[in-house]
Amino acid sequence: MSLSHWQVTVTCGGIGILSVLTLWKTFWGSSRKYNVDLDGPKEAHWLTGNVRKLFECGLDYSVKLAEQYGGALKLSSLYGEVVYLSDPLALYHVIIKDQHSFEEPDVFIMNNKAIFGDGLIATIGEQHRKQRKLLNPVFSTLNMRELLPTLQPIAHKLTSIVASKLPDDGSYKEIDVLPLLSRGALDGVCQAILGYPSNTLDTGNDEYTEALRKISPMITKLLYFRPIVPMVMRNLSSYWIGKLVNLVTAPWIPTDKMKDVREMRRIIELMDSGSKKAFAGKKAALEAALTLSPANVQPEVDDLKSGRRKDMMDIMLNANSVSSSSEQLTDAELLGQMNVMVFAGLDTTTSALSRCIYLLAKNPLAQARLRSEIRDAIKSASHAQEGSSFSEHDNPLLRLSYDALINLPFLDAVVRETLRLYPSLPHMGRKVVKATTLPLQFPVRSSSGAEISSIALHKNVFVIISILAANRNRTLWGDDANEWKPERWLSSPGRKDGLGTDIPSNSAGVPLSKLSAPILGVKDGIKYPGVYSNMMTFLGGSRSCIGFKFAEMEMKQIIAAVVLRLHFVLPTDPDANGHIKEIEWKLKAFHTSVVKPPAGDGVTPAVPLNFRLVQEEDFKW
């Protein structure tokens, strides 16, 4: 046997042993030995169960499960029985009241730690609490106001690139807008969050930004390897983990999956190297400032309080420097936050942005209404600013302040309705770490068909939080909950509590009698415990999405820029073979848009739309 054959045999054997051990640990240490007394679909693969159908059968399957069986039902998986949950009271207990009994699964935490380091999505318990305490003020409305000027030229540049490709005669041209939206979102998170001088809209990706762009697709590709990671990280020292990684990523292993593992390692190393370089520069600048005389140090603290910073990393590092020693984060934790914030803000925002643009292309009246609202707001702002005219500005959106942008009623309605129907992360997982009984707002059926109002959950049972099903619950959102109707938000007087601030959602089943009018997503005092507009898109409680205000701001700025200058519709022209491109959305880890066969391959992400420059008639609705 040659050396290469011996190496292949050893490596494959090692991977096989790890896989068997992982399955053994999963089967005997998980929920498989417990029975969950809930009804659910009976059809299932003998080994892998039916959980996989959530991702194979798409959005409709995920929603219809809850419509058929209610807010709590039982699914089966390779790892045992799974509770599929969308009941509002049960979710209140899972993510708020009894959150310490429901933690992110080990596979989620340990994989995130391996990829991103010790960031928010890779920590639990006291470490997570300390990180959250430091980061909450970083994403304040005050700081968002200071960051908007960083996003404005990026949005303008994106629309200018599209406009430069269009005919002067006002005719349409087909453009795949997805790469531009992705690069715009990437420049936004790099410049506003990290202070990294990316310019991918103009010059394309460098090694660091290319790694950031590729990380999510690679995570999706390697989903089947995820269960192995926790066992390796918990049972091997860093020395042996390094040896194992070197072995399984050796270039002489020929399989496609191992090629993907090698690429994942390369991406992680590039991301880690780029983040460390950016972090070192930020830290050196801060340390230089702190070596000034005490009289000059206080302005640094004052700047922190007023939010006057170029980017969020500056704000975070300053906040950490003035914290007590017991509350300070380590350099490794700060570096982890950098990686997590970019990852969390890139693909999720791109997914939501592309869906918004697609829906506006499908609904020309909504597009015209939004365009008219934006122009009217700019005109009002221009008159207020010493009478300067709309046409005097190359980028008229610079006239809109953060507060004006965020509170445009129909723009707000478009964004909220899209985020409700199509949350970027449709499902989240929790593992029961302490046996408990979960109450339900609405009764469901047990395995025997009896009506029940609570579920007994044993330790290690896996729970899937269905954000999709919760956001489309007909009881709370109405019979038209599955329809995209932005105007529903305009008839909800209690939509906002003060300027740009959502009404707090820290309880469930509590009457909202103090409010003057019904709020969308609330019925008879029953609501979901989400941090954003009574929906579950950004979750709730201590593990809610900390950056949702930034995501909302970035989305609104880009959408406003695109709609103001460009008119766009779905493709209408047949290709050389007579086929018209039809966009299809697939649900995997994220919502992914592709072009359906035969006009497309049904695999490559794309959002091809017909664009032309805006004309006066495009403001009429």
Side-chain angles (χ1 to χ4, degrees), residues 385-432:
Q385 296 171 21
E386 299 180 357
S388 58
S389 68
F390 176 91
S391 59
E392 286 175 4
H393 247 284
D394 177 51
N395 183 4
L397 278 170
L398 291 175
R399 293 292 188 191
L400 289 186
S401 67
Y402 170 83
D403 298 309
L405 175 72
I406 290 297
N407 288 284
L408 287 174
F410 196 63
L411 176 59
D412 187 71
V414 166
V415 170
R416 287 176 188 262
E417 183 71 345
T418 303
L419 291 174
R420 180 186 71 84
L421 274 179
Y422 307 104
S424 296
L425 294 174
H427 306 107
M428 294 293 289
R430 291 292 186 271
K431 185 179 180 180
V432 180

Side-chain angles (χ1 to χ4, degrees), residues 145-293:
R145 289 192 182 101
E146 298 294 331
L147 290 171
L148 180 61
T150 302
L151 299 178
Q152 288 170 329
I154 295 172
H156 182 66
K157 185 181 296 181
L158 189 159
T159 57
S160 296
I161 290 172
V162 177
S164 68
K165 300 176 184 291
L166 301 179
D168 294 330
D169 61 4
S171 58
Y172 285 102
K173 181 177 180 180
E174 183 183 296
I175 296 174
D176 180 8
V177 74
L178 182 59
L180 290 172
L181 293 175
S182 178
R183 290 175 188 164
L186 179 57
D187 283 345
V189 296
C190 283
Q191 295 180 31
I193 293 180
L194 301 184
Y196 182 83
S198 67
N199 194 16
T200 63
L201 279 169
D202 274 343
T203 61
N205 298 311
D206 56 25
E207 278 192 331
Y208 178 58
T209 55
E210 181 69 9
L212 297 176
R213 191 184 64 81
K214 286 184 174 181
I215 190 74
S216 289
M218 290 307 301
I219 289 174
T220 302
K221 274 189 174 184
L222 297 173
L223 283 176
Y224 291 105
F225 284 87
R226 288 172 67 83
I228 298 175
V229 174
M231 197 184 76
V232 170
M233 293 186 69
R234 291 201 182 280
N235 293 283
L236 297 180
S237 68
S238 58
Y239 173 82
W240 287 109
I241 290 175
K243 289 289 187 183
L244 180 62
V245 170
N246 288 336
L247 185 63
V248 299
T249 58
W252 34 261
I253 302 178
T255 67
D256 287 339
K257 282 297 180 187
M258 287 300 106
K259 290 178 182 177
D260 289 339
V261 173
R262 285 196 293 275
E263 177 64 4
M264 185 62 154
R265 179 182 184 179
R266 187 186 74 85
I267 289 170
I268 292 173
E269 288 175 347
L270 284 172
M271 181 178 68
D272 186 58
S273 173
S275 296
K276 283 180 176 176
K277 183 178 179 181
F279 176 74
K282 293 284 184 186
K283 187 179 179 184
L286 176 63
E287 289 175 346
L290 293 176
T291 58
L292 299 174
S293 63

